Amino acid sequence: MEFAALSLYNQAIILFAALALFTSFIMLAQARMMPLIFTFAWQGLLLTVVSVLVAIASGHPQLHISAAITFCLKVVVIPYLLYRLSARLNMQYDAEVIEHPTLLLLGGVALVIFSYHVSQSIIHLSGLATRNTIAVSMAIELLGMLLMCARKSAVAQVIGFMSMESGIFFAAVVSTYGMPLIVELGLAFDILVASILFGVFFFHLRDSFGSLNVGQFNRLSEANQPMPSPEATEPSSGERS
Amino acid sequence: MTLLEITLLAPLLGGLLLALLGHRPIAGWINIAVGMATFGAALVMALEVFEHGPQLSAGRMFYIDAFNVYLVVLTAFVGLTTSIFSRPYMRHEVERGRVTDRRLRLYHSMYQCFLFSMLLALSTNNLGVLWVAMELATLTTVLLVSLYRTPEAIEAAWKYFILCGVGIAQALFGTVLIYFAAESKLGGDRDDTLLWTVLHSVAGGGLDPAVITLAFVFLLVGYGTKVGLVPLHNWLPDAHSEGPTPMSAVLSGLLLNVALYALVRVKMLVDASLHTNLAGNLMMGFGLLSFTVAGLFLHRQHDVKRMFSYSSIEHMGLITFGFGMGGPLATFGALLHMTVHSLTKSAIFITVGHACQLAGTQRIDQIRGLIRTQPAIGWGLLLGTVAIAGFPPFGVFISEFLLLMATMKAWPWLTIPLLVGFGVAFAGLARHVQRMVFGEPPPGQKPVEANMLPVVVHLFLVLWLGLAIPGFLARWFEQATVLISGASPL
């Protein structure tokens, strides 16, 4: 691993990718809503910086468009939407209880190691910088998924979802210098619609369940009759697995 | 304007128009008219493809061959018949006060947008656009699942959104990996690397096997979630049972097919570049697991729509198993099964929708005596169930028989779990349906306004396919089989 032998641009790319991975861990452990949303925005910003650096280092000007899309969606629009919704639902100071935080973070570490292990198999295709960044992007995706599995709050699940999406977008930027433009635009459109729909759902959830805690979902499960009494329910963690 | 453009634009423009007019009484008719335009264009296009072979559109954006054109026709057809059913059904829902004007507009508009996204997914030549269209299909249906705004519906829709969102994100990662493999082979300066036709032509030259294997695993998990393969099936019974019934009919009859189509397209690439049976074996494993588990779950259901959605999982598992086995006979059987399952299952959901309106509930133990209150619905449900369970005069029997034959040739031991599975699934369906169809009707149960035309047409087609597959259709399936498996079954 001769990091010093890499060009400065590549070193900076690895540095910012590592920082983005670090923000994923922060999100995993962050119980309060507002800092969670801000951390997500920071991750978006870091990934934007990486995209710009890759664009300059590799001479692919179309990556600037990807960077702009990432910036608009992940740093401005989605965090702003989530922020405003949390404020309107009066939950910006809410914090949820994270069960087994140590185990969760160790699980995250295991996922990072797993990502590096998987990306070893594609060593011969690319250089050092790409290999690291592919592993990091896969780790960001998997950590987003872990966040979704571990949390019961709808907001945290949305953040996990968007973080997964960021990880994949990042993978496309570093491994193939972006997807074809039409695909990127379609992707951005889908994510935008998804974030608006999530917002709609927050209100529906609050109206139906009184809170955004999806851990209390228990009406649809194989273990129950269609209309279960509230006490005769399965643990909610089994439902979303 | 080409026929393909009409096929795609009709539902898109129809969706926009219905976003404005969807709450008017005429909306149901507009919905049907748009469905007819789509189906007509798709049919003529199919005949053209049948005569002149695969078509590549001008900008290479769209690619139509024997495999996807028949799914396009099927999608347009079931979309049309379901829209015929949905007109009286939704009017009844409005009268019962379950749907407001605004939601009715949303329903009509999203119905057409959903059809558009599926037709786009089927006809596009670009794997990235295929992904975008699949995600769009989720987005357009998620608000329809929660249309009734009951806590159950909201819960089902949230689950659907999150699970399918996560699943389909894996498929995007797989798509990126395929792009990565293709780009390192072709060089990075082209903009057509993600086109399926380009990928398929270079796949034989060997894309990096490690990357392709990894990509297929991600794609299988991703699109497999949408197909409803066990253990990723949790969203499916919920979404089917809580949404309005026309939605269940198109979700079950069409969306699952489209997701499986995406998976099979990718499998064709993977097979060509790996020269092993890895993709097929994975699909066989997941397919058989889904088939078995869903068959068992049929027995424990209390909700009629939930029960039939488990039956969908079971049949999709069987089709995935068939495609996974490869080989001309299995592929032919799987293609035929896709068709007859779509037709039968949407017919069943249409009947079930009327039955639920008749009984005022979806609970199996409260639906009784359908055949005495309204014979058309009772017979429809009975015949539909007989057909889907795979009894001889119907087409499902033929396709299941073909799949069984193929299994017996290639993997003789696996015929045992298949046969047991058929038996278990039939028992599960029969024990519930028998009581709903016969039995003593509860006092005061009155017939409802029902349009059984779609059911009759669907079941007639399934019966026809069971008695004799028309020559042109057989040749069509054969072309598709040759395309997928590389050899002819006939």
Short mmCIF file of all heavy atoms in Angstrom, two decimals, chain A residues 118 122 124-126 141 145 148 157 161 164 168 175-176 178 190 197 201 204 208 214 217 219-220 222 225-227 239, chain B residues 132 135 143 149 152 154-155 157-159 165-166 169-170 179-180 183 208 211 214 234 242 300-302 306 310 363:
data_model
loop_
_atom_site.label_atom_id
_atom_site.label_comp_id
_atom_site.label_asym_id
_atom_site.label_seq_id
_atom_site.Cartn_x
_atom_site.Cartn_y
_atom_site.Cartn_z
N VAL A 118 -14.57 -8.27 -0.27
CA VAL A 118 -15.22 -8.51 -1.56
C VAL A 118 -14.49 -7.79 -2.68
O VAL A 118 -14.28 -8.33 -3.76
CB VAL A 118 -16.70 -8.07 -1.49
CG1 VAL A 118 -17.31 -8.08 -2.87
CG2 VAL A 118 -17.48 -8.99 -0.58
N ILE A 122 -11.63 -7.93 -7.20
CA ILE A 122 -11.52 -7.17 -8.44
C ILE A 122 -10.25 -6.33 -8.48
O ILE A 122 -10.16 -5.33 -9.15
CB ILE A 122 -12.76 -6.28 -8.68
CG1 ILE A 122 -13.27 -5.70 -7.39
CG2 ILE A 122 -13.84 -7.02 -9.39
CD1 ILE A 122 -14.54 -4.89 -7.56
N HIS A 124 -7.26 -6.79 -9.85
CA HIS A 124 -6.43 -6.62 -11.04
C HIS A 124 -7.03 -5.63 -12.04
O HIS A 124 -6.39 -5.28 -13.00
CB HIS A 124 -6.19 -7.96 -11.72
CG HIS A 124 -7.45 -8.60 -12.20
ND1 HIS A 124 -8.30 -9.28 -11.37
CD2 HIS A 124 -8.02 -8.63 -13.42
CE1 HIS A 124 -9.34 -9.72 -12.06
NE2 HIS A 124 -9.18 -9.34 -13.31
N LEU A 125 -8.26 -5.22 -11.79
CA LEU A 125 -8.89 -4.33 -12.76
C LEU A 125 -8.44 -2.88 -12.61
O LEU A 125 -8.41 -2.14 -13.55
CB LEU A 125 -10.41 -4.39 -12.61
CG LEU A 125 -11.06 -5.55 -13.35
CD1 LEU A 125 -12.53 -5.57 -13.05
CD2 LEU A 125 -10.83 -5.43 -14.84
N SER A 126 -8.12 -2.48 -11.38
CA SER A 126 -7.93 -1.05 -11.18
C SER A 126 -6.76 -0.76 -10.26
O SER A 126 -6.19 -1.66 -9.64
CB SER A 126 -9.17 -0.44 -10.56
OG SER A 126 -10.29 -0.87 -11.24
N GLU A 141 -22.82 1.95 1.41
CA GLU A 141 -24.13 1.38 1.07
C GLU A 141 -24.58 0.41 2.15
O GLU A 141 -25.72 0.48 2.63
CB GLU A 141 -24.01 0.66 -0.27
CG GLU A 141 -25.34 0.41 -0.92
CD GLU A 141 -25.47 -0.97 -1.49
OE1 GLU A 141 -24.45 -1.55 -1.88
OE2 GLU A 141 -26.61 -1.46 -1.55
N MET A 145 -27.74 0.44 4.94
CA MET A 145 -28.72 -0.63 5.13
C MET A 145 -28.78 -1.03 6.61
O MET A 145 -29.86 -1.24 7.16
CB MET A 145 -28.32 -1.84 4.29
CG MET A 145 -29.46 -2.77 4.05
SD MET A 145 -29.33 -3.55 2.47
CE MET A 145 -28.22 -4.85 2.76
N MET A 148 -30.81 1.37 8.49
CA MET A 148 -32.25 1.16 8.30
C MET A 148 -32.76 0.00 9.14
O MET A 148 -33.87 0.03 9.66
CB MET A 148 -32.56 0.87 6.84
CG MET A 148 -32.30 2.04 5.95
SD MET A 148 -32.74 1.62 4.28
CE MET A 148 -34.49 1.79 4.35
N GLN A 157 -34.77 5.88 9.09
CA GLN A 157 -34.81 4.92 7.99
C GLN A 157 -34.67 5.62 6.64
O GLN A 157 -34.00 5.11 5.74
CB GLN A 157 -36.12 4.14 8.04
CG GLN A 157 -36.16 3.19 9.21
CD GLN A 157 -37.21 2.12 9.04
OE1 GLN A 157 -38.13 2.26 8.25
NE2 GLN A 157 -37.07 1.05 9.78
N PHE A 161 -31.77 5.07 3.89
CA PHE A 161 -32.09 4.81 2.48
C PHE A 161 -31.31 5.74 1.57
O PHE A 161 -30.67 5.32 0.60
CB PHE A 161 -33.59 4.99 2.29
CG PHE A 161 -34.08 4.75 0.90
CD1 PHE A 161 -34.25 3.46 0.44
CD2 PHE A 161 -34.37 5.80 0.06
CE1 PHE A 161 -34.70 3.23 -0.84
CE2 PHE A 161 -34.81 5.57 -1.22
CZ PHE A 161 -34.98 4.28 -1.67
N MET A 164 -27.66 4.94 1.48
CA MET A 164 -27.39 3.82 0.56
C MET A 164 -27.27 4.31 -0.87
O MET A 164 -26.36 3.96 -1.61
CB MET A 164 -28.56 2.84 0.61
CG MET A 164 -28.52 1.83 1.69
SD MET A 164 -30.02 0.85 1.61
CE MET A 164 -29.62 -0.21 0.25
N ILE A 168 -24.08 4.18 -3.59
CA ILE A 168 -24.10 3.61 -4.94
C ILE A 168 -23.69 4.65 -5.97
O ILE A 168 -22.91 4.39 -6.89
CB ILE A 168 -25.50 3.06 -5.25
CG1 ILE A 168 -25.83 1.95 -4.27
CG2 ILE A 168 -25.57 2.56 -6.65
CD1 ILE A 168 -27.27 1.54 -4.27
N SER A 175 -15.83 4.26 -9.89
CA SER A 175 -15.42 3.08 -10.66
C SER A 175 -15.55 3.32 -12.16
O SER A 175 -14.74 2.85 -12.93
CB SER A 175 -16.24 1.86 -10.24
OG SER A 175 -17.59 2.04 -10.59
N THR A 176 -16.59 4.02 -12.57
CA THR A 176 -16.81 4.13 -14.01
C THR A 176 -16.89 5.58 -14.47
O THR A 176 -17.31 5.86 -15.57
CB THR A 176 -18.12 3.43 -14.41
OG1 THR A 176 -19.18 4.02 -13.67
CG2 THR A 176 -18.07 1.97 -14.08
N GLY A 178 -18.93 7.85 -13.51
CA GLY A 178 -20.32 8.26 -13.71
C GLY A 178 -21.06 7.35 -14.66
O GLY A 178 -20.46 6.64 -15.45
N ASP A 190 -35.90 9.95 -9.66
CA ASP A 190 -36.49 8.95 -8.77
C ASP A 190 -36.24 9.31 -7.30
O ASP A 190 -37.14 9.20 -6.47
CB ASP A 190 -35.89 7.57 -9.06
CG ASP A 190 -36.58 6.88 -10.22
OD1 ASP A 190 -37.56 7.46 -10.71
OD2 ASP A 190 -36.14 5.80 -10.62
N LEU A 197 -42.29 11.66 -1.53
CA LEU A 197 -43.24 10.65 -1.05
C LEU A 197 -42.98 10.32 0.42
O LEU A 197 -43.92 10.14 1.20
CB LEU A 197 -43.12 9.38 -1.88
CG LEU A 197 -43.77 9.42 -3.26
CD1 LEU A 197 -43.64 8.08 -3.93
CD2 LEU A 197 -45.23 9.78 -3.13
N PHE A 201 -45.54 10.47 3.53
CA PHE A 201 -45.76 9.36 4.44
C PHE A 201 -45.57 9.74 5.90
O PHE A 201 -46.24 9.18 6.77
CB PHE A 201 -44.83 8.21 4.08
CG PHE A 201 -45.51 7.20 3.24
CD1 PHE A 201 -45.40 7.24 1.87
CD2 PHE A 201 -46.29 6.23 3.82
CE1 PHE A 201 -46.06 6.34 1.09
CE2 PHE A 201 -46.96 5.32 3.05
CZ PHE A 201 -46.83 5.38 1.68
N HIS A 204 -48.85 10.80 7.02
CA HIS A 204 -49.76 9.66 7.14
C HIS A 204 -49.45 8.84 8.38
O HIS A 204 -50.33 8.42 9.11
CB HIS A 204 -49.65 8.76 5.92
CG HIS A 204 -50.22 9.38 4.69
ND1 HIS A 204 -50.15 8.80 3.45
CD2 HIS A 204 -50.85 10.55 4.52
CE1 HIS A 204 -50.72 9.58 2.58
NE2 HIS A 204 -51.15 10.65 3.19
N SER A 208 -51.90 8.17 11.53
CA SER A 208 -52.41 6.83 11.83
C SER A 208 -51.86 6.26 13.12
O SER A 208 -52.54 5.54 13.83
CB SER A 208 -52.06 5.85 10.70
OG SER A 208 -52.58 6.31 9.50
N VAL A 214 -41.74 3.42 13.57
CA VAL A 214 -42.29 2.29 12.82
C VAL A 214 -42.12 0.99 13.59
O VAL A 214 -42.57 -0.05 13.14
CB VAL A 214 -41.67 2.16 11.41
CG1 VAL A 214 -42.01 3.36 10.59
CG2 VAL A 214 -40.19 1.96 11.50
N PHE A 217 -45.28 -1.01 14.33
CA PHE A 217 -46.07 -1.68 13.30
C PHE A 217 -46.33 -3.12 13.74
O PHE A 217 -45.41 -3.88 13.98
CB PHE A 217 -45.27 -1.74 11.99
CG PHE A 217 -45.32 -0.49 11.20
CD1 PHE A 217 -45.96 0.63 11.69
CD2 PHE A 217 -44.73 -0.42 9.96
CE1 PHE A 217 -46.02 1.79 10.95
CE2 PHE A 217 -44.78 0.73 9.22
CZ PHE A 217 -45.42 1.83 9.71
N ARG A 219 -49.71 -4.64 12.75
CA ARG A 219 -51.02 -5.08 12.29
C ARG A 219 -50.93 -6.15 11.22
O ARG A 219 -51.85 -6.93 11.05
CB ARG A 219 -51.79 -3.88 11.73
CG ARG A 219 -52.32 -3.03 12.85
CD ARG A 219 -52.73 -1.69 12.36
NE ARG A 219 -53.10 -0.85 13.48
CZ ARG A 219 -54.33 -0.78 13.97
NH1 ARG A 219 -55.28 -1.49 13.45
NH2 ARG A 219 -54.59 -0.02 14.99
N LEU A 220 -49.85 -6.15 10.47
CA LEU A 220 -49.74 -7.11 9.38
C LEU A 220 -48.60 -8.07 9.69
O LEU A 220 -47.45 -7.72 9.56
CB LEU A 220 -49.44 -6.39 8.08
CG LEU A 220 -50.46 -5.36 7.67
CD1 LEU A 220 -49.92 -4.51 6.56
CD2 LEU A 220 -51.74 -6.02 7.24
N GLU A 222 -47.68 -12.54 9.92
CA GLU A 222 -48.19 -13.89 9.72
C GLU A 222 -48.61 -14.54 11.02
O GLU A 222 -49.40 -15.47 11.04
CB GLU A 222 -47.15 -14.75 9.03
CG GLU A 222 -46.91 -14.41 7.60
CD GLU A 222 -48.18 -14.14 6.84
OE1 GLU A 222 -49.17 -14.85 7.06
OE2 GLU A 222 -48.20 -13.19 6.05
N GLN A 225 -53.90 -12.95 13.68
CA GLN A 225 -55.12 -12.77 12.93
C GLN A 225 -55.02 -11.41 12.25
O GLN A 225 -54.22 -10.58 12.66
CB GLN A 225 -56.31 -12.79 13.88
CG GLN A 225 -56.51 -14.11 14.60
CD GLN A 225 -57.27 -15.09 13.76
OE1 GLN A 225 -58.16 -14.72 13.04
NE2 GLN A 225 -56.89 -16.35 13.82
N PRO A 226 -55.84 -11.13 11.24
CA PRO A 226 -55.74 -9.85 10.56
C PRO A 226 -55.90 -8.64 11.48
O PRO A 226 -55.30 -7.62 11.26
CB PRO A 226 -56.86 -9.90 9.53
CG PRO A 226 -57.12 -11.33 9.31
CD PRO A 226 -56.77 -12.04 10.58
N MET A 227 -56.72 -8.73 12.48
CA MET A 227 -56.91 -7.60 13.39
C MET A 227 -56.46 -7.99 14.79
O MET A 227 -57.25 -8.43 15.61
CB MET A 227 -58.40 -7.21 13.45
CG MET A 227 -58.95 -6.69 12.16
SD MET A 227 -58.29 -5.07 11.83
CE MET A 227 -58.92 -4.83 10.18
N GLU A 239 -40.55 -8.10 11.75
CA GLU A 239 -41.42 -7.82 10.62
C GLU A 239 -40.69 -7.23 9.42
O GLU A 239 -41.07 -7.43 8.31
CB GLU A 239 -42.50 -6.81 11.03
CG GLU A 239 -43.56 -7.46 11.86
CD GLU A 239 -44.56 -6.44 12.29
OE1 GLU A 239 -44.75 -5.46 11.54
OE2 GLU A 239 -45.14 -6.60 13.36
N VAL B 132 -34.27 2.53 -13.58
CA VAL B 132 -35.05 3.73 -13.27
C VAL B 132 -36.54 3.44 -13.40
O VAL B 132 -37.35 3.84 -12.55
CB VAL B 132 -34.64 4.89 -14.19
CG1 VAL B 132 -35.60 6.06 -14.05
CG2 VAL B 132 -33.23 5.35 -13.88
N GLU B 135 -37.84 1.38 -10.47
CA GLU B 135 -38.01 2.22 -9.28
C GLU B 135 -39.26 3.09 -9.44
O GLU B 135 -40.03 3.28 -8.50
CB GLU B 135 -36.77 3.09 -9.07
CG GLU B 135 -36.89 4.14 -7.98
CD GLU B 135 -36.55 3.62 -6.60
OE1 GLU B 135 -36.11 2.48 -6.50
OE2 GLU B 135 -36.76 4.37 -5.63
N LEU B 143 -48.32 5.01 -3.31
CA LEU B 143 -49.44 5.79 -2.78
C LEU B 143 -50.77 5.10 -3.04
O LEU B 143 -51.77 5.41 -2.41
CB LEU B 143 -49.47 7.18 -3.40
CG LEU B 143 -48.48 8.17 -2.80
CD1 LEU B 143 -48.62 9.52 -3.44
CD2 LEU B 143 -48.65 8.27 -1.31
N ARG B 149 -55.91 4.74 3.37
CA ARG B 149 -55.45 5.48 4.54
C ARG B 149 -55.79 4.82 5.87
O ARG B 149 -55.86 5.49 6.89
CB ARG B 149 -56.04 6.90 4.56
CG ARG B 149 -55.68 7.75 3.38
CD ARG B 149 -54.27 8.24 3.41
NE ARG B 149 -54.08 9.33 2.46
CZ ARG B 149 -53.83 9.16 1.16
NH1 ARG B 149 -53.74 7.94 0.67
NH2 ARG B 149 -53.65 10.20 0.38
N GLU B 152 -53.53 -0.10 8.59
CA GLU B 152 -52.96 -1.28 7.93
C GLU B 152 -52.39 -0.89 6.57
O GLU B 152 -51.30 -1.33 6.19
CB GLU B 152 -54.02 -2.37 7.71
CG GLU B 152 -54.45 -3.09 8.95
CD GLU B 152 -55.53 -2.34 9.69
OE1 GLU B 152 -56.03 -1.34 9.13
OE2 GLU B 152 -55.85 -2.73 10.82
N ILE B 154 -51.34 2.04 5.56
CA ILE B 154 -50.14 2.86 5.71
C ILE B 154 -48.95 1.97 6.05
O ILE B 154 -47.86 2.12 5.49
CB ILE B 154 -50.34 3.90 6.83
CG1 ILE B 154 -51.58 4.74 6.58
CG2 ILE B 154 -49.10 4.74 7.01
CD1 ILE B 154 -51.37 5.92 5.72
N GLU B 155 -49.19 1.04 6.96
CA GLU B 155 -48.10 0.14 7.35
C GLU B 155 -47.63 -0.67 6.14
O GLU B 155 -46.43 -0.80 5.90
CB GLU B 155 -48.60 -0.80 8.45
CG GLU B 155 -47.54 -1.78 8.91
CD GLU B 155 -48.04 -2.68 10.03
OE1 GLU B 155 -48.95 -2.27 10.75
OE2 GLU B 155 -47.49 -3.79 10.17
N ALA B 157 -47.91 0.08 2.99
CA ALA B 157 -47.25 0.93 2.00
C ALA B 157 -45.84 1.29 2.45
O ALA B 157 -44.91 1.32 1.65
CB ALA B 157 -48.07 2.19 1.77
N TRP B 158 -45.68 1.56 3.74
CA TRP B 158 -44.34 1.91 4.23
C TRP B 158 -43.39 0.73 4.05
O TRP B 158 -42.27 0.87 3.59
CB TRP B 158 -44.42 2.33 5.70
CG TRP B 158 -43.10 2.70 6.26
CD1 TRP B 158 -42.28 1.92 7.01
CD2 TRP B 158 -42.40 3.95 6.11
NE1 TRP B 158 -41.13 2.59 7.33
CE2 TRP B 158 -41.19 3.84 6.80
CE3 TRP B 158 -42.71 5.15 5.46
CZ2 TRP B 158 -40.27 4.88 6.86
CZ3 TRP B 158 -41.78 6.18 5.51
CH2 TRP B 158 -40.59 6.04 6.21
N LYS B 159 -43.88 -0.46 4.41
CA LYS B 159 -43.06 -1.66 4.25
C LYS B 159 -42.68 -1.85 2.78
O LYS B 159 -41.53 -2.17 2.46
CB LYS B 159 -43.88 -2.87 4.70
CG LYS B 159 -43.41 -3.55 5.94
CD LYS B 159 -44.17 -4.84 6.03
CE LYS B 159 -44.34 -5.31 7.43
NZ LYS B 159 -45.18 -6.50 7.49
N GLY B 165 -37.50 -0.33 -1.92
CA GLY B 165 -36.48 0.69 -2.13
C GLY B 165 -35.09 0.12 -1.85
O GLY B 165 -34.18 0.27 -2.66
N VAL B 166 -34.96 -0.56 -0.72
CA VAL B 166 -33.66 -1.15 -0.37
C VAL B 166 -33.29 -2.21 -1.39
O VAL B 166 -32.17 -2.26 -1.89
CB VAL B 166 -33.73 -1.76 1.04
CG1 VAL B 166 -32.48 -2.55 1.32
CG2 VAL B 166 -33.88 -0.67 2.06
N ALA B 169 -32.26 -0.79 -4.65
CA ALA B 169 -30.96 -0.13 -4.56
C ALA B 169 -29.84 -1.14 -4.79
O ALA B 169 -28.82 -0.82 -5.42
CB ALA B 169 -30.81 0.55 -3.20
N GLN B 170 -30.04 -2.38 -4.28
CA GLN B 170 -29.03 -3.41 -4.55
C GLN B 170 -28.91 -3.66 -6.05
O GLN B 170 -27.81 -3.88 -6.56
CB GLN B 170 -29.40 -4.72 -3.86
CG GLN B 170 -29.79 -4.60 -2.41
CD GLN B 170 -28.69 -4.06 -1.56
OE1 GLN B 170 -27.53 -4.27 -1.85
NE2 GLN B 170 -29.05 -3.32 -0.54
N TYR B 179 -21.74 -2.24 -15.49
CA TYR B 179 -21.20 -1.12 -16.28
C TYR B 179 -19.69 -1.07 -16.14
O TYR B 179 -18.96 -0.87 -17.11
CB TYR B 179 -21.85 0.17 -15.77
CG TYR B 179 -21.57 1.39 -16.60
CD1 TYR B 179 -21.72 1.38 -17.98
CD2 TYR B 179 -21.18 2.58 -15.99
CE1 TYR B 179 -21.47 2.50 -18.73
CE2 TYR B 179 -20.93 3.71 -16.74
CZ TYR B 179 -21.07 3.68 -18.10
OH TYR B 179 -20.84 4.79 -18.84
N PHE B 180 -19.25 -1.26 -14.89
CA PHE B 180 -17.82 -1.24 -14.59
C PHE B 180 -17.09 -2.33 -15.38
O PHE B 180 -16.07 -2.06 -16.03
CB PHE B 180 -17.65 -1.44 -13.07
CG PHE B 180 -16.24 -1.55 -12.60
CD1 PHE B 180 -15.32 -0.57 -12.91
CD2 PHE B 180 -15.84 -2.62 -11.82
CE1 PHE B 180 -14.02 -0.65 -12.45
CE2 PHE B 180 -14.54 -2.72 -11.36
CZ PHE B 180 -13.63 -1.74 -11.69
N GLU B 183 -17.14 -1.50 -19.07
CA GLU B 183 -16.32 -0.36 -19.44
C GLU B 183 -14.84 -0.71 -19.43
O GLU B 183 -14.08 -0.24 -20.27
CB GLU B 183 -16.59 0.81 -18.49
CG GLU B 183 -16.32 2.13 -19.17
CD GLU B 183 -16.73 3.30 -18.33
OE1 GLU B 183 -16.42 3.28 -17.13
OE2 GLU B 183 -17.35 4.23 -18.88
N ASP B 208 -15.11 -9.53 -17.00
CA ASP B 208 -14.41 -10.03 -15.83
C ASP B 208 -15.33 -10.87 -14.95
O ASP B 208 -16.33 -10.38 -14.42
CB ASP B 208 -13.87 -8.85 -15.02
CG ASP B 208 -13.10 -9.34 -13.82
OD1 ASP B 208 -12.23 -10.18 -14.00
OD2 ASP B 208 -13.40 -8.88 -12.70
N VAL B 211 -16.27 -9.69 -11.24
CA VAL B 211 -17.19 -8.55 -11.16
C VAL B 211 -18.59 -8.97 -11.55
O VAL B 211 -19.59 -8.60 -10.92
CB VAL B 211 -16.70 -7.40 -12.07
CG1 VAL B 211 -17.62 -6.21 -11.95
CG2 VAL B 211 -15.30 -7.01 -11.70
N LEU B 214 -20.30 -10.96 -8.81
CA LEU B 214 -20.73 -10.04 -7.75
C LEU B 214 -21.97 -9.26 -8.19
O LEU B 214 -22.94 -9.12 -7.45
CB LEU B 214 -19.57 -9.09 -7.44
CG LEU B 214 -19.66 -8.29 -6.15
CD1 LEU B 214 -19.72 -9.24 -4.98
CD2 LEU B 214 -18.45 -7.37 -6.03
N ASN B 234 -41.56 -10.22 2.09
CA ASN B 234 -42.46 -9.70 3.14
C ASN B 234 -43.40 -8.60 2.71
O ASN B 234 -44.50 -8.48 3.23
CB ASN B 234 -41.63 -9.19 4.31
CG ASN B 234 -41.22 -10.29 5.22
OD1 ASN B 234 -41.14 -11.43 4.77
ND2 ASN B 234 -40.98 -10.00 6.47
N GLU B 242 -53.74 -4.84 1.09
CA GLU B 242 -54.27 -3.58 1.62
C GLU B 242 -54.65 -2.58 0.55
O GLU B 242 -55.39 -1.65 0.81
CB GLU B 242 -53.26 -2.96 2.60
CG GLU B 242 -52.96 -3.83 3.81
CD GLU B 242 -54.21 -4.25 4.55
OE1 GLU B 242 -55.16 -3.45 4.62
OE2 GLU B 242 -54.25 -5.39 5.03
N ARG B 300 -52.17 -20.82 6.25
CA ARG B 300 -52.45 -20.09 7.48
C ARG B 300 -53.12 -18.74 7.24
O ARG B 300 -53.16 -17.91 8.14
CB ARG B 300 -51.21 -19.80 8.31
CG ARG B 300 -49.95 -20.44 7.98
CD ARG B 300 -48.95 -20.18 9.08
NE ARG B 300 -49.48 -19.31 10.13
CZ ARG B 300 -49.02 -19.22 11.34
NH1 ARG B 300 -48.02 -19.95 11.69
NH2 ARG B 300 -49.53 -18.37 12.20
N GLN B 301 -53.60 -18.49 6.06
CA GLN B 301 -54.10 -17.14 5.79
C GLN B 301 -55.54 -16.94 6.26
O GLN B 301 -56.35 -17.86 6.23
CB GLN B 301 -54.00 -16.84 4.31
CG GLN B 301 -52.58 -16.87 3.80
CD GLN B 301 -51.65 -16.05 4.66
OE1 GLN B 301 -51.95 -14.92 5.02
NE2 GLN B 301 -50.51 -16.62 5.02
N HIS B 302 -55.83 -15.72 6.67
CA HIS B 302 -57.19 -15.36 7.08
C HIS B 302 -57.81 -14.33 6.15
O HIS B 302 -58.97 -14.02 6.25
CB HIS B 302 -57.19 -14.78 8.50
CG HIS B 302 -56.54 -15.69 9.48
ND1 HIS B 302 -57.19 -16.78 10.02
CD2 HIS B 302 -55.30 -15.71 10.01
CE1 HIS B 302 -56.37 -17.41 10.85
NE2 HIS B 302 -55.22 -16.79 10.84
N ARG B 306 -54.66 -11.78 0.71
CA ARG B 306 -53.35 -12.20 1.19
C ARG B 306 -53.04 -13.62 0.74
O ARG B 306 -51.93 -13.94 0.33
CB ARG B 306 -53.38 -12.13 2.70
CG ARG B 306 -52.20 -11.51 3.34
CD ARG B 306 -52.36 -11.50 4.84
NE ARG B 306 -51.05 -11.64 5.41
CZ ARG B 306 -50.19 -10.65 5.49
NH1 ARG B 306 -50.52 -9.45 5.09
NH2 ARG B 306 -49.00 -10.84 5.99
N TYR B 310 -49.93 -14.97 -1.69
CA TYR B 310 -48.97 -16.05 -1.45
C TYR B 310 -48.95 -17.02 -2.61
O TYR B 310 -47.89 -17.57 -2.97
CB TYR B 310 -49.29 -16.78 -0.14
CG TYR B 310 -48.57 -16.14 1.03
CD1 TYR B 310 -49.25 -15.32 1.91
CD2 TYR B 310 -47.21 -16.32 1.20
CE1 TYR B 310 -48.58 -14.71 2.96
CE2 TYR B 310 -46.54 -15.72 2.23
CZ TYR B 310 -47.23 -14.92 3.11
OH TYR B 310 -46.56 -14.31 4.12
N ARG B 363 -62.08 -10.97 5.03
CA ARG B 363 -61.76 -12.12 5.88
C ARG B 363 -62.41 -13.38 5.33
O ARG B 363 -63.60 -13.43 5.06
CB ARG B 363 -62.25 -11.86 7.30
CG ARG B 363 -61.47 -10.75 7.96
CD ARG B 363 -61.69 -10.79 9.43
NE ARG B 363 -61.37 -12.10 9.96
CZ ARG B 363 -60.92 -12.29 11.20
NH1 ARG B 363 -60.78 -11.25 12.01
NH2 ARG B 363 -60.65 -13.48 11.63
#
